[in-house]
Amino acid sequence: MSDFAYVESYAPGEGRRRPRADFLSDAPRLSLNGDWRFRLSPTAAGASDMDDSGWDRLRVPSHWVLEGYDRPLYTNTAYPFPLDPPRVPAENPTGDYRRHFDLPAGWPPDARAVLRFQGVDSCARVWLNGTSLGHSKGSRLPFEFDVTGLLRPAGNLLAVRVHRWSSGSYLEDQDMWWLPGIFRDVELLARPDGCVDDFYVHASYLDGQGTLRVDADRPGTVELPELGVRVPTGVEVTVPVEPWSAESPRLYRGTLTAGGERIALAVGFRTVSIVDGRLLVNGVPVLFRGVNRHEHDPDRGRALDRETMLRDVVLMKRHHINAVRASHYPPHPEFLRLCDEYGLWVVDECDIETHGFIYADWRGNPPDEPAWRDALADRIERMVERDKNHPSVVVWSLGNESGAGAAFGEASRWIRARDPSRPIHYERDRTYRHSDFASVMYPSLDDLDAIGRREEPAPEGVEPGSPDDERRRGLPFLLCEYAHAMGNGPGSLVDYQRILEAHERFCGAFVWEWIDHGLRAPDGGLWHGGDIDHRPSGGRFCLDGLLFADRTPSPGLAEYAKAIEPVEITVAGGRVALRNRYDVVDLSHLRLEWTVEDGGVPVESGSLAVPHLPARGLGSVAMPVVPAGRSERWLTVRAVLATDTAWAPAGHEVAWGQGLISAAAPAPARRGSLDRGPARFDPRTGELVRLGDLTVAGPMLDVWRAPVENDLGQGGRNNLAQAWRTVGLDRMLHRVDEVCVADDRLVVRGRSAPAGRALGLRTELVWEPAGDHAVRLAVTVEPEGDWADVTLPRLGVRLALPAGLARATWFGRGPGESYVDSQAAARVGRFAADIDAMQTPYPWPQENGNHVRTRWLELTGPDLPTLGVRGDPWFDFTVRRWTSEALDRATKPSDLHASDRVWLNVDHAQQGIGSASCGPALPDRYRLPVAPYSFTTVLSVCYSSERHRCTGS
Ligand code: IPT
């Protein structure tokens, strides 16, 4: 046996203390974070030299692959090494870490002491002052060694050997970067005589009363001053309390004192139960409006500091997210303290994923192999013991995507015995015998609806009508992943939410996922998996978050916030109807404000009394009386925080609704003469070449968009972009057949079609005068040939405009981008933005920046006349400095360069976005079939002194 056989042994560790609760106390604690000596070796043998004075320095916590050594690797499902469990490659980058330290003054020299590692990826062997302490695997879980008697007042040497690959890596095949290193805190803890080692807070809630009992392995005293509680450990008390919930995270702070140590307690009273197939907390149903959160930072990987964790929590709270699935491993313990304090329901998931066994047809899958029993049980116990005292943790998850196996039965039995207070989730075992929830990932809307009705078909391998089938149907349903947020999207968030709220069976859902896992590249850009020269690679699949990697919210997050906003406000029939979507609280923490806008210009505003509405209650208030206006008049009602909270200031918007008060008067029909109007055409091609003093080119029929990630359905399924390219929508050729003038109308007939194909789109563009400054364009499109079931990414016209145009002002939906299946977050109003700022910087360039239901648009630039576009009644537009083709070709944002034109797409429609990058096909109603279409638009030109003429606004 070699000296490093432990790396490949099934054993989860050796020499470690038994797992216990994570807590903060006033006992002496020495952080060993900071500057360490570091040397990287190519194999598990590591560095043999005793003298580390010439070694490099490395900050701890960190991942060495993000600090200039070795390189990060990204795989989705496949292991990056041969599937030969429990063996790992001989090339096993191994980092030797050394830390020299002195004990601080006042450190009790003879005290018991514990050395704690909060997380080391993937296997660590540890020595203190030359004594071998043992080793541990299980990257995202803590481990401790008893170091009593091994410390010196000065000149201690802590040596840690970290192996990139170990048997433990087979249990850590999550879809994420493989990032080795000591990436969480290292601490030395003094353990005073008589102190408790582990304790368990049992704090339940029933009918206004909280029942508390703190069990500990040593006698101690529990104090919650606010409740007047002072009891010995092991003794139960019942007192009137306010319950803890994500919406009202009432914590009672206190202490557990034993042996001269004071441990901080943050007690939240709450009871989780499943009654009649529904999940209840404190007796009421709750709905998780959640996200899957990986720990990620573009520079630090999973070595997050507290500030970054807090940013996540605050961003979630501000976007109405009330739940987090800790996908796919227990987060840093500080994150859970923040969830307790700020209020987030947590599904705490174990650091177990064996996805890559799919490439062996699940043969040898660790959860189904006795040899791995201890390793799996070890992880479950370390999670539960560490996190058992957090009120925010309401569900235990046994892991992700690990097939089925006896180990999950053992895990669930162990948890039920140790912690009967929380239900258990595991999605991948289709019998659901070891889960208290039925669960699947990425169902279609129809499938989800059937699940809600408890009418879903029996899963494969489960006999319809069998006891497993019956039991599953009776379980509450937790949608652990849906709405794959890769690139532009996801679409249908509102559709999903409607179904989730329509059936009692649902206890909530978690969008995949919170944040893009882009890593900072040396050139300042971002790396995804495909940027690393290594196979297998998960490519761009790590860029699927609601936040961009730098934590800038994406349009998808705005849409999700709108889909789940806690109050539904409907303005109609003279009333403002309110639906309280909170599960626990009423609306007394909110203020209602209203504004009336005429054509997007505010004309009146005020406030409304907030009706008393209990959780999930309905009510209404009378609408303010406002007369009709000249153009479209909208009433917007906003619910805002009445007072400051921990996560947002007073005035922060939590919900809004709009209603149309009066429609616009029809625009007066303006005739004129085409000759005397602003439009000049090329007589040969019928192309528009000038509009007043604006040089323009076009408009051309345009049916192409740079595919979004969701157009590239996973693994070839739902791959619309491929179907489009096969037909040739990305390379349409345009022919003009006829240009004629009749009755002061210019008619241009032509055909757009791809080379090599017998199909095409016949077009007719009819130009008419519309006053002195405007022309009306009517477009008719007639398909020819057999298009089979191909859809169109977009249908509209594209114009090339002078590059000097710099700013857009529009009346329609905004301010952010919107698509037919993702427009809830966009309100009706008047918006203005620089063209450059209207490009959403998706890390993989793709279609973006669309605006649905635009009534009018003006483009302006210094020293240029204004271009106006009016819809009949609406159009979609995108405006950018590069073409869709250039956007399509680009693979990095840095590939996009301003051309010598501004490109404006005025669309009759654009196809929806969906979430098919990992999920169901785009619903039919959001597709744009090949069919006859006709639409009109009015183009105008005007000069600043007469601007109103441009759009009639
Ligand atoms: C699902 C995984 O659980 C998650 O980690 C992530 O990979 C996601 O897919 C896609 O980004 S598993 C998939 C087979 C549905």
Side-chain angles (χ1 to χ4, degrees), residues 76-77 174-175 294 325 328 353 355 400-401 428 441-442 481 484 512-513 541 544 714 918:
N76 171 4
T77 51
Q174 291 94 339
D175 171 13
H294 268 283
R325 177 175 178 234
H328 298 305
E353 175 156 344
H355 213 148
N400 186 58
E401 286 281 6
R428 246 331 111 134
M441 297 176 179
Y442 307 101
E481 294 180 23
H484 200 246
W512 189 267
E513 66 175 307
F541 226 56
D544 52 3
Q714 197 195 17
C918 178

Side-chain angles (χ1 to χ4, degrees), residues 865-881:
T866 298
L867 173 80
V869 183
R870 193 139 43 80
D872 183 19
W874 300 322
F875 59 95
D876 282 30
F877 80 93
T878 59
V879 58
R880 45 175 76 106
R881 298 194 177 278

Side-chain angles (χ1 to χ4, degrees), residues 238-417:
T238 297
V239 281
V241 296
E242 291 169 40
W244 188 96
S245 69
E247 291 169 12
S248 181
R250 185 66 164 95
L251 283 181
Y252 294 93
R253 301 210 181 253
T255 52
L256 163 58
T257 311
E261 180 188 36
R262 281 156 59 91
I263 293 172
L265 295 180
V267 177
F269 292 89
R270 50 127 194 77
T271 295
V272 186
S273 58
I274 293 179
V275 179
D276 295 335
R278 298 181 82 180
L279 178 74
L280 310 180
V281 181
N282 302 328
V284 301
V286 295
L287 191 69
F288 301 141
R289 298 163 172 98
V291 287
N292 280 279
R293 173 183 181 267
H294 268 283
E295 294 179 315
H296 186 75
D297 175 85
D299 298 299
R300 307 297 315 271
R302 287 187 281 278
L304 299 194
D305 55 17
R306 183 177 189 273
E307 193 192 331
T308 307
M309 298 176 213
L310 182 56
R311 273 180 81 188
D312 277 349
V313 168
V314 167
L315 277 165
M316 286 177 192
K317 294 291 287 186
R318 289 188 177 183
H319 291 89
H320 324 315
I321 288 162
N322 70 1
V324 179
R325 177 175 178 234
S327 56
H328 298 305
Y329 43 83
H332 189 288
E334 185 63 20
F335 181 74
L336 295 179
R337 282 192 283 272
L338 293 170
C339 291
D340 293 343
E341 184 178 335
Y342 285 78
L344 286 165
W345 308 113
V346 177
V347 175
D348 198 3
E349 188 153 279
C350 199
D351 194 0
I352 296 178
E353 175 156 344
T354 63
H355 213 148
F357 281 82
I358 198 170
Y359 300 102
D361 291 326
W362 295 100
R363 275 189 310 280
N365 185 31
D368 209 22
E369 295 288 329
W372 291 94
R373 253 175 95 165
D374 290 352
L376 292 160
D378 174 73
R379 289 170 188 240
I380 295 281
E381 290 172 28
R382 280 157 76 193
M383 169 180 75
V384 172
E385 296 300 354
R386 191 195 77 165
D387 295 341
K388 59 186 180 277
N389 293 329
H390 289 284
S392 56
V393 174
V394 286
V395 177
W396 298 117
S397 163
L398 304 183
N400 186 58
E401 286 281 6
S402 303
F408 291 121
E410 281 167 28
S412 62
R413 282 190 291 279
W414 184 87
I415 296 176
R416 284 187 211 298

Side-chain angles (χ1 to χ4, degrees), residues 682-734:
D682 178 327
R684 209 169 36 88
T685 62
E687 206 185 334
L688 181 69
V689 292
R690 295 196 74 74
L691 206 54
D693 292 337
L694 275 180
T695 313
V696 304
M700 302 289 265
L701 183 79
D702 196 356
V703 292
W704 183 241
R705 77 176 177 201
V708 300
E709 293 281 14
N710 290 314
D711 292 331
L712 305 158
Q714 197 195 17
R717 264 194 312 139
N718 306 325
N719 196 330
L720 299 176
Q722 195 177 316
W724 296 336
R725 287 193 209 272
T726 304
V727 167
L729 295 183
D730 57 332
R731 50 187 173 83
M732 296 288 271
L733 301 171
H734 306 279

Side-chain angles (χ1 to χ4, degrees), residues 494-824:
V494 168
D495 303 326
Y496 277 103
Q497 198 60 32
R498 197 168 294 137
I499 296 172
L500 290 164
E501 292 182 21
H503 302 285
E504 292 189 340
R505 186 183 192 188
F506 293 123
C507 62
F510 297 81
V511 167
W512 189 267
E513 66 175 307
W514 175 236
I515 183 168
D516 279 358
H517 308 200
L519 288 178
R520 190 92 56 206
D523 68 357
L526 283 180
W527 269 344
H528 56 71
D531 294 315
I532 311 285
D533 182 20
H534 181 268
R535 295 289 171 272
S537 167
R540 299 192 304 271
F541 226 56
C542 58
L543 303 177
D544 52 3
L546 294 172
L547 294 182
F548 293 117
D550 66 358
R551 288 193 159 67
T552 309
S554 79
L557 181 57
E559 185 73 5
Y560 191 42
K562 180 63 183 164
I564 59 174
E565 65 183 6
V567 189
E568 186 180 79
I569 302 176
T570 318
V571 180
R575 303 207 53 92
V576 178
L578 302 170
R579 181 162 72 93
N580 180 355
R581 291 162 102 194
Y582 288 109
D583 298 318
V584 177
V585 301
D586 61 23
L587 302 185
S588 53
H589 63 295
L590 300 176
R591 266 193 343 244
L592 286 176
E593 295 177 347
W594 61 268
T595 321
V596 169
E597 290 174 341
D598 199 40
V601 179
V603 291
E604 250 182 275
S605 61
S607 57
L608 293 169
V610 180
H612 173 73
L613 282 190
R616 297 193 175 201
L618 299 170
S620 71
V621 289
M623 199 165 98
V625 181
V626 276
R630 228 172 25 92
S631 36
E632 266 183 56
R633 184 163 269 218
W634 285 80
L635 171 66
T636 304
V637 178
R638 304 164 62 237
V640 302
L641 291 177
T643 53
D644 292 349
T645 63
W647 47 270
H652 175 79
E653 184 179 279
V654 303
W656 58 271
Q658 287 187 304
L660 184 66
I661 305 284
S662 60
R670 289 207 182 88
R671 290 292 298 176
S673 119
L674 206 51
D675 276 353
R676 278 185 283 109
R680 292 293 169 270
F681 300 91
D682 178 327
R684 209 169 36 88
T685 62
E687 206 185 334
L688 181 69
V689 292
R690 295 196 74 74
L691 206 54
D693 292 337
L694 275 180
T695 313
V696 304
M700 302 289 265
L701 183 79
D702 196 356
V703 292
W704 183 241
R705 77 176 177 201
V708 300
E709 293 281 14
N710 290 314
D711 292 331
L712 305 158
Q714 197 195 17
R717 264 194 312 139
N718 306 325
N719 196 330
L720 299 176
Q722 195 177 316
W724 296 336
R725 287 193 209 272
T726 304
V727 167
L729 295 183
D730 57 332
R731 50 187 173 83
M732 296 288 271
L733 301 171
H734 306 279
R735 196 184 71 198
V736 176
D737 293 326
E738 193 185 356
V739 179
C740 62
V741 179
D743 299 336
D744 209 24
R745 296 156 81 200
L746 179 76
V747 180
V748 186
R749 297 200 175 89
R751 189 170 185 276
S752 300
R757 294 268 158 195
L759 44 74
L761 299 169
R762 283 222 165 269
T763 55
E764 187 181 80
L765 272 57
V766 179
W767 296 94
E768 283 183 336
D772 295 347
H773 298 270
V775 277
R776 173 176 292 105
L777 168 65
V779 181
T780 310
V781 178
E782 194 67 50
E784 286 184 344
D786 180 9
W787 286 81
D789 54 2
V790 172
T791 59
L792 299 175
R794 60 151 39 95
L795 181 90
V797 292
R798 175 161 85 187
L799 284 147
L801 302 168
L805 293 172
R807 201 166 165 77
T809 305
W810 71 99
F811 178 49
R813 296 212 164 227
E817 66 184 36
S818 55
Y819 291 83
V820 61
D821 59 344
S822 173
Q823 55 169 302

